[in-house]
Amino acid sequence: MTDTPVPAETMDRPELTRARQGAIPDGTPHSLFEDVYALCVGTVLLSLGVVILQKAELATGGVAGMALTLSYLTGLPVGVLYGVLTLPMLAITIRSMGRAFLVKTLIVTFGVFALTGITPQVFEIARISTPVAAIVGGTVIGMGALALARHAAGSGGSGAIVLWLYRTRGWNAGRSQMLFDACVLAFSLISLDLTRMLWSLLGVAATGGILYVWHRPGRYTGY
């Protein structure tokens, strides 16, 4: 049996080898303060992105998109639906991702539930055009998901699945997220017309683009 050949450019950069094979890269651990700060920033960005999309009656990918779609249909708070949908997906990934990941992702889920719930009492978006909502909302969600991923937390159930595939299989996070999101957007047609679904697709592309560019194996060696 022969070993898988290692690219020549990694011979003098051993710290990247495991990362390129899909394993968790070696690096300097984040401090507790850095983890807490990242969870707060990521949760705020996720919540803000959802609020922007909701104002324009758009959907997005992942659990957030499913929650928005069901919220339009049922009138239930998007934060409540977000939490309910996240829990079974976390159960799938708990064995591989570990207790710390579960705790962090649960904190994020509760945070999104709380922040989206108090939004009407804190601020109101008077008007936003649909294209701007799609691009800005999708980008903000992507940056929030990236901040959480860098600190070993998921941006909900779909984020947990994507990170699980990234860590256990080495699958590119952006491509995995886009595939998941395509299925969610198809589901969104039960409550959105075709035009709004297409604008939602633009937002999903903005989100996936953030992860595709900045969340690749070998580019980041902290954890």
Side-chain angles (χ1 to χ4, degrees), residues 55-221:
K55 177 63 180 179
E57 297 184 357
L58 298 177
T60 185
V63 170
M66 296 171 66
L68 283 167
T69 298
L70 292 175
S71 179
Y72 299 146
L73 281 175
T74 65
L76 292 173
V78 66
V80 172
L81 294 168
Y82 184 89
V84 169
L85 293 169
T86 290
L87 293 179
M89 295 187 183
L90 288 181
I92 296 173
T93 63
I94 178 59
R95 180 170 297 180
S96 297
M97 299 306 292
R99 182 177 299 177
F101 177 85
L102 173 64
V103 171
K104 290 178 183 179
T105 305
L106 285 175
I107 291 172
V108 172
T109 301
F110 176 78
V112 172
F113 162 74
L115 290 178
T116 55
I118 67 173
T119 294
Q121 287 74 46
V122 177
F123 76 93
E124 180 180 357
I125 301 175
R127 185 180 69 84
I128 187 169
S129 71
T130 302
V132 170
I135 295 172
V136 174
T139 300
V140 169
I141 287 175
M143 292 305 296
L146 178 66
L148 296 172
R150 292 294 193 228
H151 292 259
S155 54
S158 64
I161 296 293
V162 166
L163 285 176
W164 175 63
L165 292 172
Y166 168 70
R167 292 193 169 191
T168 60
R169 305 283 196 279
W171 291 14
N172 180 275
R175 284 194 291 266
S176 299
Q177 188 70 59
M178 286 181 182
L179 178 61
F180 194 100
D181 292 345
C183 297
V184 174
L185 281 180
F187 172 73
S188 73
L189 285 172
I190 66 174
S191 64
L192 301 182
D193 58 34
L194 182 59
T195 299
R196 292 197 180 277
M197 193 278 283
L198 291 176
W199 283 119
S200 299
L201 179 61
L202 177 63
V204 168
T207 300
I210 295 293
L211 294 174
Y212 180 78
V213 173
W214 285 299
H215 194 58
R216 295 185 185 181
R219 280 209 170 166
Y220 185 73
T221 56

Side-chain angles (χ1 to χ4, degrees), residues 9-68:
E9 66 270 20
T10 66
M11 296 299 291
D12 57 347
R13 301 183 65 188
E15 72 278 4
L16 297 184
T17 303
R18 291 178 60 227
R20 291 187 176 181
Q21 293 175 343
I24 303 173
D26 294 323
T28 303
H30 292 298
S31 67
L32 177 61
F33 171 78
E34 289 171 336
D35 278 342
V36 172
Y37 184 56
L39 291 181
C40 291
V41 170
T43 301
V44 168
L45 291 175
L46 283 179
S47 303
L48 178 60
V50 168
V51 169
I52 291 172
L53 294 176
Q54 189 174 28
K55 177 63 180 179
E57 297 184 357
L58 298 177
T60 185
V63 170
M66 296 171 66
L68 283 167

